[in-house]
Amino acid sequence: MANPKKRKSRSAVRTNRAHLALKETTLNKCPQCGKAVKPHTACAFCGTYRGRQILKVKTTTAKAK
Ligand SMILES: [Zn+2]
């Protein structure tokens, strides 16, 4: 089994972990209802993706606008 030969120094560990921070998620505006949605994902508020109705949405808030 592969085993590390030497213990990593605190500095080496911290240098490595400097790149592990979480990135801020990118959000686009839904062209249909204008709410913030994840890219490449159907809108959870109005159920559309690329201008087509994909999901059945139970709430009526999207229609009211
Ligand atoms: Zn939408």
Side-chain angles (χ1 to χ4, degrees):
M1 292 283 268
N3 250 340
K5 198 168 197 176
K6 288 263 164 63
R7 179 195 156 93
K8 253 190 177 183
S9 69
R10 257 183 288 177
S11 166
V13 167
R14 287 169 184 177
T15 303
N16 182 21
R17 289 181 187 170
H19 303 283
L20 296 182
L22 294 175
K23 282 174 196 154
E24 206 170 300
T25 54
T26 50
L27 288 174
N28 296 335
K29 263 188 186 173
C30 172
Q32 203 72 25
C33 65
K35 296 212 177 178
V37 289
K38 278 197 258 179
H40 308 286
T41 310
C43 177
F45 301 100
C46 64
T48 56
Y49 184 69
R50 299 191 80 180
R52 288 190 293 149
Q53 192 72 33
I54 303 293
L55 305 169
K56 286 177 186 171
V57 184
K58 285 174 184 172
T59 56
T60 55
T61 49
K63 281 182 184 175
K65 263 194 175 176

